[in-house]
Amino acid sequence: MQNTVAILERPGKMVIKDAEVPIPKSNEVLIKVGYVGICGSDVHGFQYGPYIPPKDPNQTIGLGHEIAGIVEAVGDKVTKFKVGDRVCIEPGIPCYKCEFCLEGHYNVCPDVDFMATQPNYKGALTNYLAHPEDMTFALPDSMSLIEGALVEPAAVGVHAAEMAGELLGKKVVILGSGCIGLMTVQAAKLMGAAEIVVIDVLENRLQMSEKLGATAIFDGREPSVIESTKAIVGEYGADVVFETAGAIATAKMALQLVKRRGKILIVGTIPGETPVDFLKINREVTIQTVFRYANDYPKTISMISKGVFDVENIADRYFEYENTQEAFEFSVNNKQELIKGVIRVSKDMN
């Protein structure tokens, strides 16, 4: 076996270098990587460097955390997997000791080792990687490896919808119809939302959101977008507003669209400070941030495998591993043509 790894040499420049094949620890599986999804955080890292810069300026930076592949070897204490199994992974390794882990909220563990970020900045763009058995999940025969790689962003949407609470019969607005927005559309639909209004500025993404369950779509640049949305969700606004674009402008828009005693879910990663006019929302509005997912992979895998949650059609552009630089350049420069990019690391996997 030969291994390579794609690393961020500097902002805007990915290089592929030779690397040692990892030796799995007793509780780990060695995975031959098949597909890796390109997340918005990866694109940001490619352009500007990681959201949280490493303390050591010489730290090697990897990108990618949405992954599926095939088990190549197992540690001597692994019992759930065997060589040849098709799997996906949760890319965060929590400490299992802090109060958050012990309460089941391991997604907010302060010492989590999450791929492509602190503390190790190890990315998924590599031929082989080792990962703990308990954060590795088997893929049903009915799921493709591409679908397996997209379980991770789908779990974000599922977790966001669950954080909103009861959605049956509720009127929902989703701001942003990128990958996470589209996952949230489907999760809200499956939870019984009566109206799902999606607002974005890219036509291809709006059309996809309608295909996946949005009941109305609007261009966020239209001067009357607030009035048009309220004509559907009601004059007081929506029961729940999901901000998935990760932008200050959409966070501000959420304040205009939520009804009294409604909820705003901040799913996107918003840089900088967002001014909040609390006078406009001091009618018992809840603002809830959402961070990754916890205990959501099994149900997400089940929904995808049963065909009620579509992830594969969201992936509309594929790149070969040797063209990783091109993949990120395209993701930066062609947002109007792209919903979700996926990098094929191994050409012999389906």
Side-chain angles (χ1 to χ4, degrees):
M1 291 187 294
Q2 293 182 325
N3 193 31
T4 62
V5 58
I7 62 170
L8 183 67
E9 188 175 67
R10 63 179 186 276
K13 181 63 175 178
M14 295 290 293
V15 295
I16 297 176
K17 296 186 175 183
D18 291 334
E20 296 283 337
V21 176
I23 299 174
K25 298 176 183 176
S26 61
N27 67 331
E28 291 182 335
V29 295
L30 179 68
I31 300 170
K32 183 178 181 181
V33 179
Y35 293 89
V36 176
I38 302 174
C39 176
S41 64
D42 297 321
V43 177
H44 179 279
F46 173 76
Q47 281 187 278
Y48 309 110
Y51 279 109
I52 304 174
K55 296 178 181 178
D56 180 358
N58 297 315
Q59 170 74 55
T60 298
I61 305 294
L63 296 177
H65 58 264
E66 303 172 2
I67 169 182
I70 295 176
V71 174
E72 188 78 15
V74 299
D76 58 14
K77 292 184 179 179
V78 170
T79 60
K80 289 170 29 181
F81 300 102
K82 65 183 185 303
V83 173
D85 284 347
R86 300 159 63 253
V87 296
C88 66
I89 68 169
E90 278 200 40
I93 305 173
C95 74
Y96 301 110
K97 297 177 181 179
C98 70
E99 62 178 284
F100 308 105
C101 285
L102 295 176
E103 291 171 350
H105 305 296
Y106 60 86
N107 56 318
V108 295
C109 170
D111 294 317
V112 65
D113 183 359
F114 198 88
M115 295 187 77
T117 185
Q118 61 180 342
N120 293 318
Y121 296 87
K122 180 179 74 173
L125 286 168
T126 182
N127 303 111
Y128 296 93
L129 63 81
H131 201 69
E133 174 187 33
D134 56 5
M135 284 296 175
T136 303
F137 297 83
L139 297 177
D141 292 340
S142 58
M143 279 180 65
S144 67
L145 281 178
I146 296 168
E147 290 175 310
L150 299 182
V151 169
E152 199 275 347
V156 175
V158 170
H159 187 64
E162 289 181 330
M163 291 286 284
E166 180 63 63
L167 289 181
L168 184 63
K170 297 294 179 67
K171 297 177 180 180
V172 169
V173 172
I174 297 175
L175 302 174
S177 55
C179 179
I180 299 302
L182 295 171
M183 301 301 190
T184 307
V185 167
Q186 296 186 81
K189 178 184 177 182
L190 288 170
M191 289 182 65
E195 298 284 356
I196 304 174
V197 179
V198 177
I199 299 174
D200 203 312
V201 298
L202 297 178
E203 182 64 23
N204 62 330
R205 298 184 178 190
L206 286 171
Q207 292 300 322
M208 180 59 72
S209 69
E210 191 170 45
K211 179 180 178 180
L212 295 176
T215 55
I217 55 175
F218 293 115
D219 187 325
R221 296 167 296 190
E222 292 295 328
S224 60
V225 66
I226 300 297
E227 292 75 15
S228 298
T229 301
K230 287 186 175 180
I232 294 173
V233 300
E235 62 176 315
Y236 295 119
D239 298 296
V240 180
V241 179
F242 294 93
E243 195 292 320
T244 71
I248 292 175
T250 43
K252 289 181 177 179
M253 185 180 287
L255 304 177
Q256 298 176 270
L257 289 171
V258 68
K259 73 188 300 184
R260 298 176 182 217
R261 305 202 79 245
K263 294 181 179 179
I264 296 173
L265 281 294
I266 304 295
V267 188
T269 301
I270 303 174
E273 297 182 3
T274 301
V276 177
D277 185 350
F278 285 102
L279 185 60
K280 290 185 177 180
I281 59 168
N282 70 339
R283 299 297 186 269
E284 299 192 355
V285 168
T286 300
I287 299 178
Q288 172 74 60
T289 61
V290 179
F291 192 64
R292 295 175 184 157
Y293 35 75
N295 306 303
D296 292 300
Y297 260 53
K299 64 175 76 84
T300 303
I301 290 171
S302 177
M303 289 187 290
I304 295 171
S305 70
K306 288 178 170 59
V308 298
F309 201 117
D310 183 355
V311 297
E312 192 158 358
N313 281 321
I314 293 174
D316 57 347
R317 183 76 62 157
Y318 291 86
F319 304 90
E320 301 302 331
Y321 174 59
E322 60 266 27
N323 298 326
T324 292
Q325 174 70 22
E326 174 193 332
F328 280 102
E329 288 179 350
F330 189 93
S331 299
V332 169
N333 298 321
N334 298 274
K335 294 180 180 179
Q336 293 184 342
E337 303 173 33
L338 178 70
I339 297 175
K340 182 69 174 181
V342 175
I343 294 176
R344 181 172 25 228
V345 178
S346 295
K347 298 180 181 180
D348 58 346
M349 294 188 191
N350 296 313

